[in-house]
Amino acid sequence: MDETVAEFIKRTILKIPMTEMMTILKAWDFLPENQLQTVNFRQRKESLVQDLVLLCESKRASLRDAALLDIIYTQFHQHQKVWDVFQMSKEPGEDVDLFDMERFKSSFEKILRRALKNVTVSFRDAEENAVWIRIAWGTQYRKPNQYKPVYVVYYSQTPYAFTSFCHLKSNTPLLSQALTVASNHHKIVKMDLRSRYLDSLKAIVFKQYNQKFETHNSTMPLQETLELDMHMDSRIIHENKIEKERVQRVTQETFGDYPQPRLEFAQYKLETKFRSDFHGGILAERKEPLRCLIKFSSPHLLEALKSLAPAGK
Amino acid sequence: MEWANDKSKGGVLAHLERLETQMSRSCKNLEDPPRETAESDLGTKIHKLRCLRDKLRAEVKQRQARIKASTANAEPDQTLEISEQEAVGGKEENMKAILQAYRFTGLSGKRTSRGVCVCISTAFEGNLLDSYFVDLVIQKPLRIHHHSVPVFIPLEEISAKYLQTNIQHFLFCLCEYLNAYAGRKYQADQLQRDFAAFLAGPLQRNSLCNLLSFTYKVEPQGRSFPFCARLLYKDLTTTLPTDVTITYQGTDASSTSWEEQRASHENLFFTKPLYQVFTSFARNGERLDMSLVS
């Protein structure tokens, strides 16, 4: 086994917290169960890692196997990366997309290799219809840097791809081209959406967050929860109760019942005129509208906004 | 500014102090009276509104009492009213139940404040599957407020073609696509779940479930070589494939019996849903065993 591969495997396993060690090694499925059982998982981490690396050497682990372990580690620790979203588009009126995952993978890799000889591309299927791609970039004269890979998560037959933040911006056009061509699209743009939480990004672009739809079958649990709240504060009289109910209803209609996708900040460009009671104030009565940038930030923005309305009054 | 130091320091700073005290005094004089009057104004307003509310409440109570009194006088009609009320209540329950049951027709809707919320309930071979919603705003032009249709269903295309001109066609078309998708997905899930023993490798699929690629054997523990199947569903409104390619990689690939089998399998995949194909393999497998033995 190559020394660089051994070092890479050693450093990857060292990153894994002890509580997840068994789970990740089983998901990797490179070291068989009976061999894992011969290892003492109660010893100090450094010695455990040494034992595991020796086992990998005896099984002749390749760079491919090491890259797969890296993907699995990243899948377990998605929040450590910052994810961007790219949106692709097709020409209208195209034929039905008969997406073949194997053809996508080989096409994607071929496009990268044609442009760059020194690149490591690895794939791991996920869920029913998604693939995780790991790309380690090199240059014309240097071997790929395995310690700064880029990850791409793609769901078949959708126009969205999620990529982990890449410091080497120079390779982004090549990556974009490979994605677009391999998935039968024509154009690609980067969206104004970024988060550590891949699930939240998915929920937003695939519109999977709970949306309230009116049907004849829906029950009205709202009234019950309100009764409980009202009993707690007897100072709230009838007129205020009606207003509170209205606020609750509007909040529920807008946000739904389930947890919100996790956004950490949202930025808006605002163009407005200032409405003021004080005549002759500095900001009032300008011909030009005010242009400003408003930024909301919070550890969990949408939940904070959702709790804002009922907290008022 | 140097003249602000030493000699003039007392002068300027003291001057500023005096100005400050003057200002705060004049502010107080200005604020208090307005604040006081504003408060007392609100106070009287609240008092007036409360009086009005009490008066209206008393009136409401009076009217209710009058109505009760008048209905008490007309006793014989009361029983008729009650049974009429029950009848109406029963009809209402019935109506509600019918409206709720409408979703079993596959296409139902509910009026909303903006328009209508359409519910498409998909089904395949008697199995009720997922429901998808499209919330429409009735305006010119008609538009979709929000929906729960998966992103890989060509909703934009269908709405561009039909939404403005023929809403019925739009809904039926969307129904077709969603039902076909749900049916294909159901077949793929069922194959993976119930006939895993026949599969010699993982089932390759995509989001729309319109390309399935897998290797299978006709007997779960058989010694026979597996067949490779590639099913394409080019028509997104159907649950049966449009293209079927079966290949056989065994050593005796040239033998006619395997060629016959291959051809018959192709025909099966074209005409029957997946679970029926594999159920017939299970049955035929038993028969084939018998014929080989004899």
Side-chain angles (χ1 to χ4, degrees):
Chain A
M1 194 164 81
D2 200 321
E3 248 189 46
T4 49
V5 175
E7 180 65 23
F8 179 40
I9 293 184
K10 177 166 150 225
R11 288 214 222 167
T12 311
I13 301 182
L14 264 174
K15 280 197 290 190
I16 306 175
M18 285 305 287
T19 48
E20 293 169 11
M21 190 65 76
M22 217 26 172
T23 328
I24 293 186
L25 288 175
K26 281 200 183 145
W28 190 29
D29 203 25
F30 178 72
L31 298 170
E33 185 78 46
N34 48 14
Q35 273 203 313
L36 280 177
Q37 277 173 5
T38 64
V39 178
N40 177 13
F41 279 87
R42 275 189 250 258
Q43 57 182 318
R44 261 176 51 242
K45 197 171 184 190
E46 290 79 15
S47 351
L48 170 65
V49 173
Q50 269 184 352
D51 287 351
L52 289 171
V53 174
L54 280 171
L55 276 181
C56 292
E57 272 191 14
S58 68
K59 281 215 87 184
R60 294 177 208 255
S62 63
L63 180 59
R64 202 151 170 257
D65 304 308
L68 191 61
L69 180 63
D70 198 17
I71 297 181
I72 296 172
Y73 172 79
T74 310
Q75 284 176 321
F76 271 78
H77 295 264
Q78 299 175 4
H79 313 318
Q80 286 178 359
K81 304 253 178 235
V82 177
W83 299 90
D84 282 315
V85 189
F86 282 88
Q87 183 173 21
M88 299 183 277
S89 53
K90 292 189 197 223
E91 296 299 310
E94 280 213 4
D95 285 335
V96 168
D97 186 5
L98 290 156
F99 183 89
D100 185 337
M101 188 56 90
E102 296 308 307
R103 280 209 195 132
F104 168 80
K105 289 180 195 172
S106 71
S107 172
F108 183 84
E109 185 163 0
K110 224 191 290 181
I111 293 169
L112 288 184
R113 284 205 186 283
R114 226 186 284 154
L116 204 62
K117 230 187 351 158
N118 284 322
V119 64
T120 315
V121 187
S122 325
F123 302 96
R124 185 169 197 246
D125 290 339
E127 298 173 48
E128 294 287 324
N129 52 349
V131 63
W132 277 63
I133 314 173
R134 176 186 182 274
I135 305 146
W137 301 105
T139 65
Q140 260 212 323
Y141 308 105
R142 259 189 285 147
K143 290 215 141 192
N145 182 353
Q146 300 299 338
Y147 298 96
K148 286 215 161 88
V150 168
Y151 291 89
V152 179
V153 181
Y154 180 60
Y155 285 78
S156 56
Q157 294 164 321
T158 67
Y160 302 101
F162 307 94
T163 58
S164 67
F165 183 72
C166 181
H167 298 274
L168 272 171
K169 300 269 189 262
S170 55
N171 288 314
T172 312
L174 177 60
L175 177 61
S176 307
Q177 189 197 23
L179 260 173
T180 317
V181 176
S183 65
N184 299 319
H185 287 91
H186 284 120
K187 279 197 285 188
I188 184 168
V189 291
K190 186 149 148 199
M191 292 179 77
D192 276 330
L193 203 55
R194 175 184 296 172
S195 173
R196 287 187 179 278
Y197 302 98
L198 200 53
D199 290 336
S200 295
L201 290 175
K202 266 173 58 191
I204 292 172
V205 295
F206 296 144
K207 298 203 172 69
Q208 287 165 345
Y209 51 89
N210 177 55
Q211 298 191 62
K212 205 89 172 86
F213 292 103
E214 287 189 49
T215 68
H216 291 290
N217 302 59
S218 55
T219 50
M220 292 291 282
L222 178 62
Q223 307 293 12
E224 299 155 11
T225 51
L226 272 176
E227 302 293 353
L228 289 163
D229 286 344
M230 290 311 125
H231 287 147
M232 286 198 264
D233 199 336
S234 53
R235 287 175 299 168
I236 298 176
I237 57 171
H238 183 66
E239 283 76 19
N240 286 14
K241 191 150 81 153
I242 292 186
E243 183 55 29
K244 268 197 180 287
E245 276 176 21
R246 190 186 71 86
V247 166
Q248 274 271 47
R249 187 171 37 86
V250 173
T251 310
Q252 202 187 39
E253 268 173 32
T254 318
F255 290 98
D257 292 318
Y258 297 85
Q260 303 296 309
R262 198 160 173 173
L263 274 184
E264 283 176 334
F265 60 89
Q267 215 162 279
Y268 292 92
K269 283 206 184 115
L270 178 64
E271 203 175 285
T272 183
K273 287 204 155 161
F274 194 81
R275 198 161 68 164
S276 155
D277 290 331
F278 301 103
H279 294 289
I282 301 170
L283 296 171
E285 291 174 28
R286 282 175 137 223
K287 284 212 201 90
E288 281 273 315
L290 289 165
R291 287 190 190 87
C292 38
L293 196 67
I294 302 180
K295 180 170 173 174
F296 295 91
S297 70
S298 151
H300 201 321
L301 191 55
L302 291 175
E303 284 289 343
L305 286 174
K306 182 177 173 183
S307 59
L308 206 59
K313 289 210 184 165
Chain B
M1 290 195 281
E2 279 160 9
W3 59 267
N5 301 335
D6 289 306
K7 277 188 267 179
S8 325
K9 196 204 268 188
V12 172
L13 288 178
H15 189 62
L16 285 171
E17 251 185 42
R18 265 178 273 131
L19 285 174
E20 198 182 336
T21 46
Q22 228 180 28
M23 199 193 75
S24 57
R25 237 182 285 135
S26 59
C27 266
K28 252 195 248 159
N29 292 336
L30 282 172
E31 275 178 4
D32 284 341
R35 208 194 294 153
E36 276 177 3
T37 52
E39 273 180 17
S40 60
D41 278 345
L42 285 173
T44 43
K45 202 172 176 192
I46 290 172
H47 185 72
K48 272 194 211 155
L49 287 170
R50 280 202 181 130
C51 288
L52 183 60
R53 180 197 65 187
D54 294 338
K55 212 171 65 168
L56 289 169
R57 273 189 186 163
E59 246 190 68
V60 167
K61 280 206 182 120
Q62 267 189 357
R63 287 204 189 179
Q64 278 180 346
R66 255 183 272 148
I67 291 171
K68 274 207 185 128
S70 61
T71 53
N73 292 337
E75 279 254 342
D77 293 349
Q78 215 175 23
T79 45
L80 192 65
E81 269 178 34
I82 290 174
S83 63
E84 258 185 38
Q85 225 176 22
E86 278 178 1
V88 170
K91 275 194 187 157
E92 195 185 332
E93 285 297 315
N94 208 22
M95 216 43 321
K96 277 194 187 158
I98 291 178
L99 283 171
Q100 283 186 6
Y102 248 97
R103 60 186 278 267
F104 294 113
T105 61
L107 186 61
S108 56
K110 179 168 192 270
R111 285 274 300 185
T112 64
S113 49
R114 312 173 267 258
V116 65
C117 182
V118 179
C119 171
I120 298 174
S121 311
T122 58
F124 180 69
E125 305 234 319
N127 299 290
L128 197 60
L129 302 169
D130 292 324
S131 295
Y132 301 98
F133 297 90
V134 180
D135 196 322
L136 294 167
V137 180
I138 297 183
Q139 272 178 357
K140 269 216 175 327
L142 198 61
R143 63 182 175 87
I144 299 175
H145 187 255
H146 63 298
H147 63 85
S148 67
V149 175
V151 68
F152 38 80
I153 301 283
L155 179 61
E156 293 79 29
E157 263 180 51
I158 302 171
S159 55
K161 269 195 222 162
Y162 304 115
L163 185 59
Q164 305 306 329
T165 49
N166 188 349
I167 189 169
Q168 228 183 14
H169 199 119
F170 165 76
L171 289 173
F172 287 147
C173 193
L174 190 59
C175 258
E176 258 190 328
Y177 273 83
L178 287 171
N179 272 289
Y181 159 68
R184 292 193 302 269
K185 181 168 186 298
Y186 183 75
Q187 286 180 65
D189 290 340
Q190 209 184 21
L191 176 59
Q192 276 181 306
R193 195 183 52 232
D194 298 340
F195 297 97
F198 289 85
L199 293 178
L203 171 68
Q204 238 199 77
R205 52 197 280 182
N206 55 27
S207 299
L208 274 168
C209 295
N210 69 346
L211 189 150
L212 299 177
S213 185
F214 52 93
T215 27
Y216 68 96
K217 293 184 179 197
V218 278
E219 304 142 43
Q221 301 93 356
R223 286 149 291 147
S224 57
F225 284 99
F227 290 89
C228 294
R230 197 173 159 83
L231 308 177
L232 302 176
Y233 301 74
K234 286 190 184 150
D235 184 354
L236 289 179
T237 61
T238 59
T239 51
L240 287 174
T242 53
D243 292 62
V244 175
T245 320
I246 309 283
T247 49
Y248 174 68
Q249 266 131 20
T251 47
D252 49 346
S254 49
S255 98
T256 43
S257 70
W258 291 119
E259 179 50 42
E260 271 170 18
Q261 261 202 330
R262 196 196 63 78
S264 82
H265 287 188
E266 265 189 23
N267 190 44
L268 273 174
F269 280 115
F270 264 118
T271 51
K272 300 234 186 310
L274 288 176
Y275 76 93
Q276 273 189 30
V277 177
F278 279 87
T279 326
S280 72
F281 286 161
R283 265 186 268 123
N284 286 354
E286 294 161 8
R287 264 188 266 147
L288 192 67
D289 253 338
M290 303 296 280
S291 68
L292 280 177
V293 165
S294 62

